[in-house]
C-alpha cells in the first residue's frame, strides 16, 4: 500500500475529523475492542476491528487472527423467517443492535431485498430442522440454564431471574452485552433450539461458540427466550416453508454478486468475488457518507481512529503474545477468564457463575489464563479447547467449544508464555505417593479427588491427571505460592517461600518433593496413601435379593439416568430424557457416594465392565416421550414411553448371560415399532413375539 495515495490522505483526514456515525449502540459492536481498546488509538484495536468487521474479507491482508465470516446462508431460509431476513438485510443495525453486518441496501428498493431472499432460498434444504425432542418445554428450567450455563457471560441477564446472591445492580455491569435480535420475529422454537444446541453448524467462525447442552436443554432455553407459555412443544408455531420464485431468485443472484456478499459468506462459485486492494480506492468505508454502492458501517469516532491507525502501520510484524491476546479478545474469552490482570466476569456477572460454594470463587469462576501456555501441556490445552478435557465438574458454567477458530491458539499461548523454567530433579514415585496422602504426607487428598475416588473433604479438581495437564516447572511455582496465580484461593502452600513444611520426606528438599508428586501422578501406580484400596465400596451398591433402582448423572446416559442393578450381575442405565435404554454392563454395579454426598455431582461411570451401548433414537422410531416406569412384585422395572401418543411398555430384566427385553403396545393404534439394539451383542428374537409384542435376548 502506498501511504502517499490520494484515498489514504483523504481517509486519514476523515479519521481525525469524523464524528460518530450513530448514537447509542448504532455502531458495530466488537466486544474485545469495546472493553480493551475503545479509549485509545493504538493499532491493536484497529487490527481487531479490521478483522472482526470483515474488512480483511474484502480487502485482504493477514491480521494474524482467526477469520471472521458471516453465517452459513444455504439453509438460512429454513431457520429464520423470510420477513425477518428482509427487514434485517434492508437495515441491519436497526434489527440487531451492534451487528457487524454493514448497510448495503441504503438506496435499493424493497423489491431488491426481496429478490435476495428468494435467491438465498434456492441455495440449500427447503425443510426447516426439527429437534428430536420437541414434545415438552420447561421454560422455568430454560430460564435457569440461560443464566447459569454461560450464556450471560456475553449476553445480558434478564430481570426475571435472580441468582442466589441476589440480582446485581445495573451499575455493576462494566462492559456491554452482545445484543440479541428480536428472537420472536426471527425464529420459531425448533429453529432457535437448533442454533442454541450447535451454533457452529451455521456460524463456524466460532464467535458464537457451542456450549455442551442436551437437546432438551436447548429446547427449554429457546422456549424461555421466545417467551412461550405452556409446555406443549407440539403446539407452538412451525416455520413456514419458503418457496423461491425463479425470476426473483435470478435477479437476487445478480444483486448478491454486485454487493460482494461472497466476500464474507460462503456462497456458490457463480457469485464469487475477488479481493479489492486498498490501493484501488479513491474513497472508502471509513467515510461518514461512503460513495454509492459501498458498504455503510455506522462507525464510532473511536473505531474510525483505531482503524486508521492500524491501516497506516498494518505491515508491521505481529508478535505471538499480541496475536494471542487479540485472538482471545476476538473470541471474547475475557468474558469468563482473566489473563494478566485483564478480563474476567465483571462485578455483576460474577453472581451468575455458580458451582461448589465450599471451594470459594475457585469453585464457581473459570480459571485464569495467565501463563496458560506455560501451565498446560500443549496436547491437553488443545483437547480442552476441543471440549474433550474437563477437570472441574463442579463449575456450572460450561467451557464452550470454538471449532477451528482456536486451532492456532495452543501454539500461540505456548510461544507467548514460554520462559526459561527451573528444571526439577528426578522424582521418587513412592515419596510422591506418601506426600499426596494423609499418612505422613501433606494430605492433598483431603481436598482433591483422585481419579474416580472422592476426596476426604471438599471435592476440588482431580489430581490424577496433573502429569498429563501441567508443565512441571509451572507446578513447582504454583505449589510454592498458589495465591500468586489465583488470589483468594483456598489452596495453601506447603512450601512457603520455597521451603518445605514436611522435612520427614526426602530431607525436606522442595524440588525433589514436588518432582516426586509429579512422578507418582505420571506413573499411574496405585493410589496416594490414605485412600483405602476399597474406599469406594463403602457406598457401593450391590444388588443381592432384588434389583436396585436409582437416579443419577451417568456418562452416556445423561442427567436423567435411571440405573437398574440386577442380582444376576448384568445392569442397565435407562435414559429418561430420550426414553430409551442407554448402556448395559456386567460385574459390579455402582458407587453412590458422589450421587448422595457431592453437591455438584459429576457424571459417574459404571463400576463394572463389558459395557454395551444403544444408539440414539432414529427419526424413524417416531416422536418419543418418557412416561415413567413401574416395578413388579420382584422389583423388575417396566419403562413406559409413548411413540406418537401410543404408550409402549418396555420391560428389561437380567439373564445369566445378558438381558431379556419385552416391548408391548396397542397394535391397533401403532402397527409397527422400530426398535434399536445395543452394538456388540448377539440379538435373538425370544419366544412370544407377536403383533403388539416384541421380545429379544441380548447376550455378550
Amino acid at each position: 500500500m502506498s501511504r502517499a495515495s490520494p484515498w489514504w490522505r483523504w481517509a486519514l483526514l476523515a479519521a481525525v475529523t469524523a464524528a460518530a456515525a450513530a448514537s447509542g449502540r448504532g455502531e458495530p459492536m466488537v466486544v474485545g475492542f469495546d472493553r480493551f481498546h475503545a479509549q485509545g488509538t493504538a493499532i491493536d484495536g484497529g487490527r481487531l476491528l479490521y478483522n472482526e468487521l470483515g474488512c480483511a474479507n474484502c480487502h485482504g491482508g493477514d491480521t494474524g487472527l482467526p477469520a471472521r465470516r458471516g453465517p452459513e446462508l444455504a439453509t438460512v431460509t429454513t431457520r429464520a423467517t423470510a420477513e425477518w431476513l428482509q427487514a434485517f438485510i434492508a437495515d441491519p443495525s436497526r434489527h440487531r443492535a451492534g451487528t457487524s453486518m454493514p448497510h448495503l441496501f441504503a438506496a435499493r428498493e424493497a423489491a431488491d431485498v426481496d429478490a435476495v431472499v428468494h435467491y438465498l432460498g434456492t441455495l440449500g434444504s427447503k425443510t426447516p430442522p426439527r429437534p428430536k425432542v420437541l414434545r415438552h418445554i420447561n421454560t422455568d428450567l430454560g430460564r435457569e440454564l440461560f443464566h447459569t450455563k454461560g450464556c450471560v457471560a456475553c449476553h445480558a441477564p434478564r430481570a426475571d431471574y435472580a441468582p442466589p446472591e441476589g440480582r446485581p445492580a445495573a451499575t455493576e455491569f462494566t462492559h456491554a452485552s452482545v445484543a440479541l435480535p428480536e428472537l420472536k420475529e426471527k425464529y420459531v422454537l425448533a429453529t432457535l433450539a437448533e442454533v442454541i444446541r450447535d451454533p457452529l453448524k451455521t456460524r463456524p467462525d466460532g464467535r458464537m461458540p457451542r456450549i455442551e447442552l442436551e437437546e432438551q436443554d436447548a429446547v427449554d432455553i429457546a422456549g424461555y427466550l421466545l417467551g412461550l407459555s405452556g409446555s406443549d412443544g407440539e403446539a407452538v408455531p412451525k416455520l413456514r416453508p419458503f418457496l423461491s420464485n425463479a425470476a426473483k431468485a435470478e435477479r437476487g443472484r445478480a444483486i448478491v454478486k454486485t454487493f460482494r456478499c461472497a466476500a464474507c459468506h460462503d456462497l456458490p462459485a457463480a457469485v464469487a468475488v475477488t479481493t479489492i486492494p486498498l490501493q484501488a480506492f479513491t474513497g472508502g468505508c471509513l467515510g461518514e457518507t461512503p460513495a454509492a454502492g459501498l458498504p455503510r458501517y455506522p462507525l464510532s469516532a473511536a473505531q474510525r481512529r483505531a482503524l486508521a491507525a492500524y491501516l497506516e502501520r498494518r505491515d508491521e510484524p505481529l508478535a505471538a503474545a499480541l496475536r494471542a491476546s487479540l485472538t482471545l479478545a476476538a473470541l471474547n474469552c475475557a468474558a469468563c477468564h482473566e489473563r494478566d490482570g485483564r478480563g474476567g466476569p465483571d462485578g455483576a456477572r460474577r453472581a451468575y457463575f455458580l458451582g461448589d460454594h465450599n471451594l470459594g470463587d475457585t469453585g464457581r469462576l473459570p480459571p485464569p489464563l495467565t501463563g496458560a501456555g506455560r501451565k498446560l501441556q500443549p496436547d491437553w490445552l488443545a483437547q480442552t479447547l476441543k471440549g474433550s478435557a474437563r477437570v472441574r465438574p463442579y463449575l456450572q458454567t460450561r467451557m464452550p467449544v470454538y471449532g477451528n477458530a482456536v486451532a492456532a491458539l495452543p501454539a500461540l499461548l505456548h510461544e507467548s508464555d514460554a520462559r526459561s523454567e527451573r528444571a526439577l530433579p528426578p522424582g521418587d514415585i513412592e515419596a510422591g505417593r506418601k506426600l499426596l496422602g494423609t499418612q505422613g504426607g501433606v494430605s492433598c487428598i483431603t481436598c482433591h479427588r483422585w481419579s474416580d475416588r472422592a476426596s476426604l473433604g471438599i471435592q476440588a479438581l482431580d489430581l490424577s491427571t496433573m502429569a498429563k495437564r501441567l508443565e512441571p516447572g509451572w507446578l513447582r511455582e504454583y505449589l510454592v505460592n498458589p495465591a500468586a496465580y489465583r488470589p483468594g484461593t483456598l489452596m495453601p502452600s506447603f512450601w512457603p517461600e520455597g521451603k518445605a513444611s514436611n522435612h520427614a520426606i526426602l530431607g525436606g528438599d522442595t524440588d525433589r518433593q514436588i518432582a516426586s508428586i509429579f512422578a507418582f501422578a505420571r506413573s499411574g501406580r496405585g493410589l496416594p496413601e490414605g485412600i483405602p484400596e476399597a474406599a469406594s465400596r463403602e457406598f457401593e451398591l450391590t444388588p443381592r435379593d432384588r434389583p436396585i433402582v436409582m437416579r443419577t448423572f451417568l456418562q452416556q446416559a445423561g442427567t436423567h439416568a435411571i440405573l437398574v442393578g440386577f442380582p444376576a450381575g448384568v445392569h442397565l442405565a435407562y435414559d429418561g430424557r430420550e426414553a430409551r435404554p442407554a448402556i448395559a454392563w456386567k460385574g459390579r454395579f455402582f458407587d453412590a457416594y458422589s450421587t448422595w454426598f457431592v453437591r455438584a455431582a459429576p457424571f459417574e461411570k459404571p463400576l463394572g465392565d463389558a459395557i454395551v451401548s444403544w444408539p440414539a433414537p432414529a427419526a424413524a422410531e417416531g416422536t418419543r416421550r418418557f412416561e415413567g416406569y413401574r416395578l413388579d412384585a420382584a422389583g423388575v422395572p417396566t419403562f413406559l414411553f409413548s411413540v406418537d401418543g401410543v404408550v409402549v411398555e418396555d420391560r428389561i430384566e437380567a439373564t445369566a448371560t445378558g438381558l431379556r427385553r419385552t416391548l408391548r403396545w396397542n397394535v391397533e393404534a401403532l402397527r409397527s415399532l422400530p426398535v434399536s439394539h445395543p452394538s456388540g451383542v448377539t440379538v435373538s428374537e425370544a419366544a412370544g413375539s407377536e403383533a403388539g409384542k416384541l421380545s429379544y435376548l441380548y447376550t455378550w
Side-chain angles (χ1 to χ4, degrees):
M1 176 184 65
S2 172
R3 291 177 181 164
S5 59
W7 88 267
W8 189 240
R9 290 175 180 167
W10 174 88
L12 284 175
L13 177 63
V16 173
T17 60
S23 60
R25 191 71 254 176
E27 71 271 15
M29 181 183 188
V30 175
V31 180
F33 177 84
D34 279 18
R35 191 169 183 185
F36 302 121
H37 299 284
Q39 303 308 312
T41 58
I43 64 171
D44 303 343
R47 181 186 297 272
L48 187 61
L49 288 173
Y50 188 79
N51 192 80
E52 295 304 292
L53 297 180
C55 308
N57 297 338
C58 249
H59 304 300
D62 182 8
T63 63
L65 306 182
R68 177 68 190 269
R69 302 289 297 167
E72 176 270 322
L73 296 180
T75 60
V76 68
T77 56
T78 67
R79 64 177 185 269
T81 67
E83 294 80 7
W84 185 89
L85 284 171
Q86 290 170 336
F88 177 73
I89 293 171
D91 193 348
S93 61
R94 180 179 179 184
H95 293 277
R96 182 171 185 176
T99 182
S100 59
M101 168 82 172
H103 194 175
L104 296 168
F105 291 84
R108 307 291 290 200
E109 297 179 357
D112 292 341
V113 177
D114 182 53
V116 169
V117 175
H118 277 267
Y119 169 68
L120 297 179
T122 67
L123 298 180
S125 170
K126 306 299 183 294
T127 305
R130 179 180 178 80
K132 300 187 193 103
V133 182
L134 198 59
R135 300 173 299 276
H136 178 76
I137 313 165
N138 185 338
T139 54
D140 289 335
L141 179 58
R143 177 189 300 110
E144 181 177 351
L145 292 170
F146 175 76
H147 288 94
T148 60
K149 291 303 179 187
C151 305
V152 298
C154 294
H155 302 294
R158 299 195 170 193
D160 60 356
Y161 177 85
E165 296 179 10
R167 191 175 295 114
T171 54
E172 295 181 77
F173 289 90
T174 57
H175 60 87
S177 301
V178 178
L180 295 170
E182 181 50 62
L183 296 174
K184 293 180 183 179
E185 296 177 4
K186 183 176 182 180
Y187 295 112
V188 296
L189 177 65
T191 59
L192 180 56
E194 285 289 306
V195 170
I196 291 171
R197 177 78 184 279
D198 190 2
L200 295 178
K201 283 185 177 178
T202 53
R203 294 169 174 81
D205 70 359
R207 281 10 179 231
M208 181 174 175
R210 182 180 76 241
I211 296 175
E212 296 296 341
L213 295 168
E214 294 194 25
E215 189 172 37
Q216 184 65 53
D217 292 340
V219 170
D220 292 341
I221 294 172
Y224 164 66
L225 293 176
L226 291 171
L228 299 180
S229 59
S231 61
D232 185 0
E234 299 297 333
V236 300
K238 309 298 189 293
L239 187 68
R240 297 193 307 273
F242 181 79
L243 301 178
S244 290
N245 176 281
K248 289 183 178 181
E250 180 57 26
R251 180 183 176 190
R253 185 196 63 76
I255 295 171
V256 165
K257 174 77 172 180
T258 298
F259 281 94
R260 299 177 51 79
C261 300
C264 289
H265 299 277
D266 293 332
L267 290 168
V271 294
V273 296
T274 57
T275 300
I276 300 177
L278 286 171
Q279 296 93 319
F281 271 29
T282 56
C285 307
L286 278 177
E288 288 188 80
T289 55
L294 292 181
R296 293 172 180 252
Y297 288 92
L299 300 170
S300 69
Q303 290 172 335
R304 294 175 192 277
R305 287 193 299 268
L307 279 166
Y310 167 66
L311 290 171
E312 176 68 13
R313 300 168 58 187
R314 66 182 181 139
D315 295 328
E316 294 181 359
L318 181 64
L322 180 55
R323 185 181 172 196
S325 175
L326 291 176
T327 297
L328 295 173
L331 300 177
N332 201 23
C333 303
C336 294
H337 299 277
E338 174 269 329
R339 178 172 165 88
D340 297 328
R342 298 204 315 172
D346 62 20
R349 285 179 171 84
R350 287 171 68 92
Y352 296 90
F353 286 76
L354 307 181
D356 186 349
H357 74 283
N358 294 307
L359 297 172
D361 280 352
T362 304
R364 67 190 187 99
L365 297 179
L369 294 182
T370 302
R374 57 178 290 264
K375 170 188 176 181
L376 299 176
Q377 296 186 20
D379 287 347
W380 186 275
L381 180 54
Q383 291 303 311
T384 298
L385 292 172
K386 291 178 181 177
S388 57
R390 296 286 185 269
V391 294
R392 295 176 175 84
Y394 43 78
L395 297 182
Q396 288 195 32
T397 300
R398 306 283 181 86
M399 169 68 184
V401 177
Y402 290 86
N404 291 333
V406 294
L409 193 54
L412 279 176
L413 290 172
H414 184 74
E415 182 180 353
S416 62
D417 293 343
R419 71 185 202 192
S420 179
E421 298 284 6
R422 178 172 179 167
L424 292 178
D428 183 310
I429 291 174
E430 290 307 313
R433 183 198 310 276
K434 193 169 190 69
L435 282 161
L436 284 160
T438 58
Q439 299 175 9
V442 295
S443 301
C444 302
I445 59 171
T446 298
C447 296
H448 288 276
R449 298 180 64 88
W450 188 269
S451 188
D452 60 350
R453 305 301 180 96
S455 75
L456 305 179
I458 60 176
Q459 302 301 311
L461 62 79
D462 176 12
L463 291 185
S464 69
T465 63
M466 75 169 79
K468 297 178 181 178
R469 291 191 301 117
L470 304 176
E471 296 286 1
W474 182 92
L475 177 64
R476 185 211 183 269
E477 186 176 300
Y478 174 73
L479 291 178
V480 166
N481 188 6
Y485 172 71
R486 195 161 194 175
T489 180
L490 300 180
M491 173 78 178
S493 174
F494 295 101
W495 296 269
E497 299 181 357
K499 299 175 182 178
S501 58
N502 185 321
H503 292 273
I505 301 175
L506 300 176
D509 187 313
T510 293
D511 285 3
R512 290 185 66 200
Q513 286 185 354
I514 293 174
S516 297
I517 288 174
F518 193 85
F520 173 69
R522 182 170 52 200
S523 74
R525 298 182 191 172
L527 302 168
E529 287 194 356
I531 298 181
E533 288 291 337
S536 65
R537 298 199 179 192
E538 181 179 357
F539 298 99
E540 181 175 342
L541 303 180
T542 304
R544 301 190 186 280
D545 301 321
R546 60 188 286 120
I548 295 174
V549 181
M550 68 171 295
R551 293 287 304 273
T552 192
F553 292 1
L554 194 78
Q555 293 182 16
Q556 300 184 65
T559 58
H560 290 56
I562 304 168
L563 309 191
V564 187
F566 292 101
V570 183
H571 316 297
L572 172 76
Y574 192 92
D575 183 348
R577 173 155 279 181
E578 290 194 344
R580 67 181 180 96
I583 63 172
W585 67 98
K586 294 183 177 181
R588 294 165 62 194
F589 176 46
F590 186 69
D591 180 354
Y593 176 86
S594 293
T595 300
W596 291 346
F597 299 110
V598 177
R599 290 174 60 89
F603 279 81
E604 298 290 341
K605 300 177 183 177
L607 290 181
D609 51 22
I611 299 174
V612 298
S613 304
W614 274 261
E621 294 184 40
T623 302
R624 302 165 70 96
R625 177 171 182 165
F626 184 56
E627 305 287 354
Y629 66 91
R630 60 172 180 253
L631 303 177
D632 64 14
V636 176
T638 295
F639 298 98
L640 308 175
F641 65 91
S642 58
V643 177
D644 299 330
V646 179
V647 175
V648 179
E649 300 179 357
D650 192 355
R651 188 178 193 272
I652 304 175
E653 59 185 321
T655 68
T657 57
L659 295 171
R660 179 192 298 271
R661 184 183 187 191
T662 303
L663 300 108
R664 291 184 171 87
W665 69 95
N666 183 338
V667 70
E668 295 302 323
L670 187 68
R671 288 314 228 173
S672 64
L673 180 70
V675 180
S676 60
H677 305 296
S679 57
V681 305
T682 300
V683 182
S684 57
E685 192 167 308
S689 293
E690 57 190 41
K693 176 183 175 184
L694 294 173
S695 189
Y696 301 98
L697 289 175
Y698 301 141
T699 57
W700 72 99

